[in-house]
Amino acid sequence: MTLICIAISILLLILLINSFKVHPFPAFLVVSIFAAISLGLSIDQIAPALEKGIGNILSSLLILIAFGAMFGKIIAVSGAAQKIASVMMAWVGPGKIQWAMMVVGFIIGIPLFYGVGFVLMVPLIFSVVYKYKLPAVFIGLPMLAALSVTHGFLPPHPSPSALVILFNANMGLTLVYGFALAIPAIVIAGPFFAQFLKRIPSQPLKTFVSEDLPEDKLPGTFNSFFTALLPVILLIATTFLQHTFRLSPTVQKSLIFLSSPSVVLMIVFFYALFSLGVAQKHKMDDLMNHCTQAVKDVATIILIIAGSGALKEVFTQTGVSEEIANSLQALPVPPLALGWIIAAIIRICIGSATVAGLTTGSMILPLIHSTATDPNLMVLAVGAGSLAFSHVNDSGFWMFKEYFNLTIKDTVLTWSVMESIVAIVGLIGVLLLSLVV
């Protein structure tokens, strides 16, 4: 009966978001209340449970998401992203533009949220398409595959960051494993798959081709690359030092402090504010206005994460965690594969990778502890599953269709298949990694 109640709760969440177009945050709260009542939580405990769940998850993520959004915005408006792209083009030449696009998408996708990265990079894709008379999908898909992979696999993006905290995983190790999976996923779903798409008819709208900043207004090459990659450098460096050297207690505590994702994002934000802002003669008022807009842009993500925390707390307080774990363990499916399957099903039904990842996280958490599954790999398994088969209920699907001026059929054959390849390659990579780590 407990599992039936949980299944109905998840189905209700899917219906509210997908069929009735309710925003995920109130949908999560309604479902949390329904789940609490149906699972026998005392009526006077429901409101405190929701508040506790929201508070617990936001206490760890609010700084990370807010500073991450502001950092990404500075990378964009300063011209650093444009500089990175132009340098990559000069390095590889016209014959390897497709691979350059993939690399640029990967670099840009690390600090930028997916939607920002998409809008920022599409003008670059179209300018290359018009300049070299190349097929738009053939050139653009590798870059967008890279943006998608970083969004689903790598911290400090919202869903993988939330899953790291939820599963008590190690942010640095998850990032290292994520890189190991991201590279083959991007190559296969990007340049390799795009070879079959050269004849897909696409006439991208010239309206979306924006003017670049003049060269003398762009930051330097080293400044642009170093600042964009600084979060990754700090996370990997502090993790490497902690796991490689025997350090004094004082140094160890200092590295623990510096390796905290919230602290890392605070450091790189203020560094970017100086290196790409003040040092480049940008007015502080303008920079702060951009940062304010960036936080507004991620407000919905913050609310979705908060709602998922409420549902998780209801599952915890009603004592269903053990029953979920026992039931799932009875299935002849490895835990990592099970996490992927659940996330993929929710993603296909709801359309949101963030909702799919966070909902799966609350359901799969007890299984991690009971089966001693590596939490870092589970973050990646769920993240990969949350990217599976984007279709008409996903805003990313429509962005790709409209920007590239494709039919729905061709969008499914290109975008939807690309996302599914990323998810499948991610699962295979996680299972292979589980054999050696």
Side-chain angles (χ1 to χ4, degrees):
M1 193 63 194
T2 298
L3 293 178
I4 292 175
C5 291
I6 294 171
I8 294 174
S9 298
I10 299 302
L11 179 61
L12 177 60
L13 181 66
I14 293 171
L15 289 174
L16 286 174
I17 296 173
N18 197 42
S19 299
F20 296 99
K21 309 304 179 186
V22 177
H23 187 278
F25 179 64
F28 263 119
L29 294 184
V30 169
V31 170
S32 297
I33 294 172
F34 170 81
I37 294 172
S38 62
L39 293 169
L41 191 65
S42 174
I43 194 72
D44 62 320
Q45 295 178 309
I46 295 177
L50 301 184
E51 293 167 0
K52 181 180 179 182
I54 292 172
N56 285 347
I57 199 163
L58 287 187
S59 65
S60 301
L61 282 175
L62 189 58
I63 295 175
L64 181 67
I65 295 174
F67 274 96
M70 292 188 289
F71 173 66
K73 193 70 171 179
I74 291 175
I75 294 290
V77 300
S78 66
Q82 179 184 329
K83 183 67 174 182
I84 292 170
S86 63
V87 169
M88 293 299 300
M89 296 302 140
W91 284 350
V92 301
K96 296 181 180 178
I97 286 181
Q98 190 192 38
W99 288 87
M101 287 291 186
M102 180 191 73
V103 175
V104 169
F106 186 67
I107 294 173
I108 296 301
I110 293 171
L112 292 182
F113 290 111
Y114 177 81
V116 177
F118 186 104
V119 174
L120 177 69
M121 289 294 100
V122 159
L124 172 63
I125 294 171
F126 292 169
S127 64
V128 171
V129 166
Y130 284 115
K131 183 175 182 179
Y132 296 105
K133 311 297 182 191
L134 296 169
V137 175
F138 171 73
I139 294 298
L141 203 66
M143 174 179 282
L144 300 180
L147 289 176
S148 180
V149 168
T150 56
H151 175 74
F153 284 21
L154 303 181
H157 287 273
S159 182
S161 297
L163 292 172
V164 165
I165 293 169
L166 182 64
F167 296 160
N168 196 27
N170 181 285
M171 185 73 77
L173 283 177
T174 301
L175 190 59
V176 172
Y177 294 161
F179 274 117
L181 298 182
I183 292 172
I186 293 170
V187 170
I188 295 172
F192 179 78
F193 174 58
Q195 296 297 323
F196 302 96
L197 307 177
K198 293 180 179 180
R199 296 187 178 181
I200 294 289
S202 172
Q203 293 295 326
L205 303 180
K206 294 184 179 181
T207 307
F208 297 117
V209 181
S210 62
E211 294 185 5
D212 292 337
L213 292 175
E215 189 66 28
D216 60 348
K217 298 293 185 181
L218 299 179
T221 300
F222 175 80
N223 189 9
S224 299
F225 275 89
F226 180 75
T227 304
L229 294 175
L230 188 56
V232 180
I233 294 171
L234 289 178
L235 283 171
I236 292 179
T238 52
T239 301
F240 175 78
L241 291 173
Q242 289 181 68
H243 287 82
T244 305
F245 299 101
R246 183 173 296 177
L247 306 169
S248 67
T250 301
V251 175
Q252 187 73 20
K253 290 178 181 178
S254 299
L255 286 176
I256 291 173
F257 169 74
L258 292 174
S259 65
S260 168
S262 298
V263 174
V264 167
L265 263 297
M266 290 173 64
I267 292 171
V268 299
F269 166 72
F270 285 110
Y271 178 83
L273 196 62
F274 171 77
S275 67
L276 298 177
V278 176
Q280 301 297 319
K281 311 290 188 205
H282 291 282
K283 294 181 180 179
M284 184 60 73
D285 286 346
D286 292 337
L287 293 172
M288 290 299 100
N289 287 335
H290 289 307
C291 290
T292 300
Q293 185 59 49
V295 174
K296 290 180 181 178
D297 291 341
V298 299
T300 295
I301 294 174
I302 294 173
L303 289 175
I304 292 172
I305 291 173
S308 71
L311 183 60
K312 170 186 172 293
E313 187 63 25
V314 166
F315 284 159
T316 300
Q317 291 198 18
T318 51
V320 303
S321 297
E322 293 300 323
E323 293 188 48
I324 295 174
N326 293 334
S327 299
L328 294 178
Q329 288 181 65
L331 296 176
V333 178
L336 293 171
L338 186 62
W340 184 93
I341 291 170
I342 295 173
I345 291 172
I346 297 174
R347 156 71 159 182
I348 292 169
C349 294
I350 294 179
S352 169
T354 301
V355 172
L358 295 174
T359 305
T360 303
S362 64
M363 295 179 64
I364 208 74
L365 179 61
L367 189 63
I368 297 176
H369 301 302
S370 62
T371 60
T373 300
D374 188 325
N376 305 294
L377 294 181
M378 184 60 82
V379 171
L380 298 173
V382 173
S386 72
L387 297 177
F389 197 71
S390 162
H391 57 95
V392 293
N393 61 0
D394 178 20
S395 60
F397 176 94
W398 291 102
M399 287 178 66
F400 183 78
K401 176 189 178 299
E402 296 301 320
Y403 271 66
F404 283 78
N405 200 19
L406 298 169
T407 65
I408 289 181
K409 176 185 175 182
D410 285 337
T411 309
V412 171
L413 292 175
T414 55
W415 173 262
S416 301
V417 174
M418 180 273 289
E419 290 280 81
S420 299
I421 292 173
V422 165
I424 293 170
V425 173
L427 172 62
I428 294 172
V430 165
L431 295 178
L432 291 176
L433 270 179
S434 69
L435 300 177
V436 297
V437 299

